[in-house]
Amino acid sequence: MNRLPGPVAVVAALALVLTATPAQAGEAWAEQAQRRLNHLGCSAGPADGEVGRWTRSAVVRFQSARYVRQTGRLDPLTRKRLYAASAPRCDRRPVPAHSGRGRRIVISQHQNWIWLLGPQGGVVAQGGMVDNPSVLHPGSYGTGSYCGRAARIRKNSTSSNQVWLDNFVRFAPCGVGFHRIPVYKSTGRQIHADWLLGTNMTESHGCIRLSREMSVKVWNFTTRRTPVRVV
């Protein structure tokens, strides 16, 4: 487990990032922010002082965990929140209230996050996701067969036949399900990086895109019908 910086280090870093000007430390404050994001499990990538899409995705994950507007910008207010002693971790989040009880899967579209919960409500696994709120709406669902289509397909394919949807688990009519980030059949590469998960920087065609690891966990978790709650 990564150890978070002590109070003195955090205060010093906060003073640096809030007072530095571009002429003084344009890259230094960004590198410091990247390190802080990584300490909080937000996955900012290499601490190189370059604020690219990877770093902005980490800022979005931090902002969603903090329940504030997801801009992806390291503005002064965001940096102040980032260095606060109360700053939340990105990779371990509380289960949303009013999301049901017992063994279930919970999806937060606001946070772009998913939880697998055991019979007593304990978190079995959690992680970032990508979805499409215009297709999937809040409500109660359940894994299984819909519209005569198979409930689970280890290697599903799209109508274009260009990508694989590994570990596909259906949970809503008619083709909405969980699956790994699509993989091109021609190259074996994902259509986008894992670090876009847990953000609003891209969207799916309607399904829930997951990392390879999380898609396997969902596959193993749903060997029997499982309630799914979208909040």
Side-chain angles (χ1 to χ4, degrees):
M1 181 181 296
N2 291 330
R3 297 180 61 187
L4 297 180
V8 174
V10 170
V11 171
L14 178 59
L16 170 64
V17 299
L18 292 182
T19 60
T21 65
Q24 291 175 313
E27 294 184 356
W29 68 260
E31 180 179 341
Q32 187 68 35
Q34 289 167 328
R35 293 185 186 280
R36 176 65 169 165
L37 285 163
N38 284 333
H39 272 298
L40 291 172
C42 302
S43 185
D48 56 9
E50 298 293 329
V51 183
R53 290 191 77 213
W54 194 345
T55 297
R56 291 197 295 274
S57 77
V59 176
V60 170
R61 278 184 286 279
F62 173 75
Q63 291 170 328
S64 71
R66 185 68 169 65
Y67 292 93
V68 296
R69 185 164 172 257
Q70 299 169 36
T71 65
R73 294 195 296 268
L74 278 168
D75 53 55
L77 179 57
T78 298
R79 284 179 273 160
K80 182 177 181 180
R81 289 168 170 162
L82 181 63
Y83 286 95
S86 59
R89 290 191 64 85
C90 294
D91 55 351
R92 295 197 297 271
R93 309 187 185 195
V95 180
H98 311 296
S99 61
R101 296 181 179 179
R103 185 179 182 279
R104 66 198 189 279
I105 297 176
V106 174
I107 295 169
S108 169
Q109 294 183 305
H110 172 74
Q111 297 187 59
N112 297 292
W113 207 255
I114 176 176
W115 294 261
L116 310 186
L117 303 167
Q120 304 304 316
V123 177
V124 175
Q126 62 175 289
M129 66 168 204
V130 165
D131 81 330
N132 189 329
S134 67
V135 175
L136 179 65
H137 304 292
S140 297
Y141 303 89
T143 60
S145 174
Y146 290 88
C147 307
R149 301 181 185 181
R152 289 154 53 89
I153 308 172
R154 180 64 87 172
K155 290 193 77 68
N156 200 7
S157 183
T158 60
S159 57
S160 67
N161 204 36
Q162 294 182 344
V163 297
W164 291 116
L165 308 178
D166 293 346
N167 306 315
F168 184 90
V169 177
R170 201 178 311 274
F171 70 88
C174 276
V176 178
F178 303 101
H179 60 75
R180 179 188 176 184
I181 296 170
V183 174
Y184 288 114
K185 293 183 177 182
S186 58
T187 64
R189 296 180 178 178
Q190 295 183 165
I191 66 171
H192 64 71
D194 279 3
W195 48 257
L196 282 171
L197 298 172
T199 77
N200 55 8
M201 295 170 65
T202 188
E203 64 181 24
S204 71
H205 290 94
C207 290
I208 302 296
R209 294 180 188 170
L210 305 167
S211 68
R212 179 183 180 278
E213 179 184 12
M214 181 59 78
S215 74
V216 170
K217 290 179 179 179
V218 169
W219 178 269
N220 293 334
F221 190 75
T222 56
T223 54
R224 56 190 171 93
R225 184 170 177 81
T226 303
V228 178
R229 185 70 179 268
V230 180
V231 299

